[in-house]
Amino acid sequence: MYLTFYIPASRISNIKVGQSVRYTASQNLAKPLVLIGKVKKIDTAPTPIHEISYVKVSAKIDPTKSQLSKIHYGLQGKSVIIVDKKTWFNYFKDKVLNN
């Protein structure tokens, strides 16, 4: 199953195929629907939407059986792409040393 979303062209330089994607659906559920996947395709040409250029990104997700019943076409939500990982120690070390 694929997730498709658009990123402003000015922010696409950090996005690479293979990066992790976390999608949180905008639903009124007691437990939010969170899907995990990987970026599989990034369009080469931007798409103009309301005079702003966006780049189409597709990610492959593998939902569980319980998640499948909550997914439908046109489901809206928030996508986050993890572009870098850092340990808590290195994060605080950089904060303290102003790096």
Side-chain angles (χ1 to χ4, degrees), residues 7-17 19 42 55 57 83:
I7 297 177
S10 60
R11 295 182 177 226
I12 199 70
S13 62
N14 291 332
I15 310 302
K16 308 277 186 278
V17 172
Q19 288 177 319
I42 302 170
V55 177
V57 177
V83 295

Side-chain angles (χ1 to χ4, degrees), residues 27-80:
Q27 292 182 334
N28 294 328
L29 299 173
K31 184 178 177 187
L33 177 62
V34 178
L35 303 169
I36 306 296
K38 294 216 178 270
V39 173
K40 292 295 181 184
K41 182 181 176 190
I42 302 170
D43 278 3
T44 55
T47 303
I49 301 172
H50 301 293
E51 299 180 11
I52 299 174
S53 293
Y54 291 91
V55 177
K56 182 178 172 183
V57 177
S58 297
K60 185 172 187 323
I61 56 171
D62 295 315
T64 62
K65 288 184 180 183
S66 63
Q67 290 173 328
L68 275 174
S69 64
K70 299 173 187 171
I71 298 172
H72 57 84
Y73 180 78
L75 183 64
Q76 295 184 6
K78 177 181 169 184
S79 298
V80 176

